[in-house]
Amino acid sequence: MRIFKTKIINHPLKLSKKKSSNINVLYDRMFFWLLLGLIGIGFVIISSGSIPTGMRLANDPFYFIKRVIIYYSVTFLLSVIILKIPMIVWQNYSVIMLLCSYIMLIAALILNNSTNGASRWIMWGTLCIQPAELSKLSFICYLANYLERKSKEVRTKFWSICKPIVIMIILAVLLLAQPDFGSIIILFITTLSILFLFGAKLCQLILIFVFNIFLIIPLIVIKPYRIQRILTFWDPWKDPFGNGYQLTQSLIAFGRGKCFGEGLGNSVLKLEYLPEAHTDFIFSILAEELGYFGAILVLFMLFVIVLRAMIIGHRALNINHRFSGILACSISMWFGLQIFINVGTVSGILPTKGLTLPFISYGGSSFLITVMASMQLLRIDFETRLSKNQAFLKCTKT
């Protein structure tokens, strides 16, 4: 595995020896460069796919490109800060983060800045903040903290499993009021998966799953558009200019891409044929312009990112950094699930859901939070390697 090196200078985790300040701390170079590569690809595809929409909305072909540059700049500054925050800080303030998420979700409903019938945003000048994205990260931090403290109870007591489920359901109610059904699915499946990985009994989780399915079915039935989404994805060509319009246009984009694509900037479907071409359905434009091989390359990069996140979590658990390990595994599950749902949606495998493709889709809040989570992964890897270096120094001393 390739790695790049930086020197420790006044690091929060101080080493016991003076000469240890010259020791080299290792970061996961593969994860870092894959992350930069995906962000670069995302910027190029957003720049290509957003020009027609920018012309229609603001008579400016670079409208979304300018906003992306602002989001990227803010994200870069925050990333530098997050890399310097020890994981113990995230653990100590996880409950406060979760409470802030609740408050922001309630504020979004009260302010009611509605777009396409959804009240998911808090407007701040020209920028939009989507609290649902922050709620994913804050809940995962809370869950990791809970499992770190209550790991034995989770293995033996049913109520200990129910506590994080209840917290998640309260969060889901606020998300449903927006509505944001996609984020609820992400939180629900991630929670059950992490509880199972860290000791919860399968029979108890199946019971919880069945109970929640019975709660979800009425929510789908009472909203006709949700039933239409489920029925439409089976055969979108039955109504290609109605309910199936978005999916049929997405499939046409895939077909036009063939093996090597139409070339950057040569997409036809982005010319107002495919709605949300630069956000939820950006993978369709990517497949049209870069072709089958370009799409497979991007999927492979995303897969490796998810895999590396799980490996980082496994290494942290091996040296008993339980909070960091559980958090890294949770982020891996979250990323993997969101990628699967987004790609499954645009390719017609799953019903249409309003979820972005991590690191690639346009969306300031989504991009910011996914990069923040990635910086947490790099920090976890840093602390894991630092602990191993400290252990090595102690061994050499003795």
Side-chain angles (χ1 to χ4, degrees):
M1 181 187 62
R2 291 199 242 164
I3 43 183
F4 69 87
K5 304 177 179 180
T6 58
K7 290 190 177 179
I8 303 174
I9 300 174
N10 296 325
H11 191 271
L13 298 173
K14 292 182 180 178
L15 300 177
S16 57
K17 281 228 172 241
K18 258 190 181 180
K19 64 179 181 180
S20 64
S21 62
N22 294 322
I23 205 166
N24 288 320
V25 178
L26 311 174
Y27 284 88
D28 191 327
R29 187 179 182 183
M30 182 186 293
F31 183 92
F32 178 78
W33 288 112
L34 281 172
L35 180 63
L36 284 185
L38 286 169
I39 291 171
I41 291 170
F43 179 77
V44 171
I45 300 300
I46 290 170
S47 300
S48 173
S50 64
I51 289 174
T53 309
M55 286 295 295
R56 174 171 59 85
L57 294 178
N59 199 30
D60 180 4
F62 305 111
Y63 175 72
F64 287 103
I65 299 173
K66 294 173 184 175
R67 293 171 71 88
V68 164
I69 292 172
I70 294 172
Y71 286 132
Y72 281 21
S73 302
V74 172
T75 301
F76 174 76
L77 294 174
L78 285 176
S79 297
V80 173
I81 296 170
I82 290 167
L83 277 173
K84 296 182 178 181
I85 300 175
M87 294 312 299
I88 188 67
V89 175
W90 295 99
Q91 182 176 1
N92 292 338
Y93 289 92
S94 59
V95 175
I96 296 175
M97 284 176 59
L98 187 62
L99 290 174
C100 290
S101 297
Y102 281 129
I103 293 169
M104 291 179 71
L105 287 170
I106 293 169
L109 294 172
I110 293 172
L111 295 174
N112 195 27
N113 294 308
S114 182
T115 303
N116 296 327
S119 303
R120 302 177 186 173
W121 295 270
I122 297 174
M123 306 298 292
W124 185 29
T126 58
L127 300 178
C128 299
I129 301 170
Q130 192 171 355
E133 298 298 331
L134 177 62
S135 69
K136 294 176 188 175
L137 181 60
S138 60
F139 178 77
I140 285 174
C141 287
Y142 162 79
L143 182 62
N145 184 25
Y146 180 83
L147 288 173
E148 196 273 338
R149 293 181 292 106
K150 304 286 186 179
S151 57
K152 291 182 181 178
E153 289 87 341
V154 166
R155 294 188 184 96
T156 56
K157 298 178 182 178
F158 181 65
W159 172 240
S160 295
I161 299 174
C162 292
K163 283 180 181 178
I165 297 292
V166 169
I167 298 296
M168 188 271 295
I169 289 174
I170 296 170
L171 196 61
V173 170
L174 293 174
L175 290 169
L176 191 66
Q178 294 187 348
D180 189 351
F181 205 62
S183 293
I184 295 172
I185 293 172
I186 294 284
L187 287 174
F188 179 60
I189 298 179
T190 300
T191 302
L192 292 183
S193 301
I194 294 302
L195 286 171
F196 174 70
L197 284 177
F198 291 95
K201 294 179 181 178
L202 182 60
C203 58
Q204 295 174 342
L205 293 177
I206 290 174
L207 181 64
I208 292 171
F209 179 79
V210 171
F211 174 74
N212 280 274
I213 288 297
F214 279 111
L215 290 178
I216 290 171
I217 289 174
L219 297 176
I220 295 174
V221 173
I222 61 175
K223 293 290 185 180
Y225 76 90
R226 289 179 185 145
I227 300 175
Q228 286 296 334
R229 282 182 176 181
I230 292 173
L231 296 176
T232 299
F233 95 99
W234 287 107
D235 187 7
W237 301 101
K238 277 187 177 180
D239 190 12
F241 300 105
N243 291 320
Y245 178 77
Q246 195 169 25
L247 183 52
T248 55
Q249 297 303 305
S250 177
L251 295 175
I252 290 170
F254 276 96
R256 281 179 50 81
K258 298 181 182 178
C259 287
F260 299 102
E262 295 290 318
L264 283 174
N266 293 329
S267 168
V268 171
L269 275 299
K270 71 182 181 184
L271 303 175
E272 299 292 287
Y273 291 104
L274 177 61
E276 310 295 338
H278 60 297
T279 55
D280 300 344
F281 279 76
I282 195 168
F283 192 71
S284 304
I285 303 303
L286 185 149
E288 184 182 3
E289 296 192 347
L290 302 184
Y292 171 80
F293 292 110
I296 289 297
L297 175 62
V298 170
L299 286 178
F300 178 73
M301 293 170 70
L302 289 166
F303 170 76
V304 176
I305 283 278
V306 173
L307 180 63
R308 298 303 301 177
M310 191 64 74
I311 291 172
I312 288 170
H314 178 67
R315 287 175 177 166
L317 289 170
N318 281 343
I319 61 169
N320 207 32
H321 288 190
R322 288 192 57 79
F323 172 77
S324 297
I326 296 168
L327 180 60
C329 293
S330 301
I331 292 172
S332 176
M333 294 293 298
W334 162 26
F335 284 0
L337 187 60
Q338 187 155 330
I339 291 164
F340 173 74
I341 292 176
N342 179 274
V343 175
T345 293
V346 301
S347 59
I349 298 172
L350 299 173
T352 304
K353 282 271 135 260
L355 288 172
T356 56
L357 185 62
F359 313 114
I360 295 177
S361 292
Y362 173 82
S365 298
S366 175
F367 177 79
L368 175 63
I369 297 301
T370 50
V371 173
M372 280 178 63
S374 300
M375 293 303 105
Q376 284 184 323
L377 289 170
L378 283 175
R379 178 69 196 196
I380 291 168
D381 188 54
F382 172 83
E383 292 187 6
T384 301
R385 294 170 188 270
L386 183 63
S387 294
K388 289 181 178 179
N389 284 334
Q390 288 175 320
F392 176 76
L393 281 174
K394 289 177 182 177
C395 289
T396 54
K397 181 181 177 182
T398 56

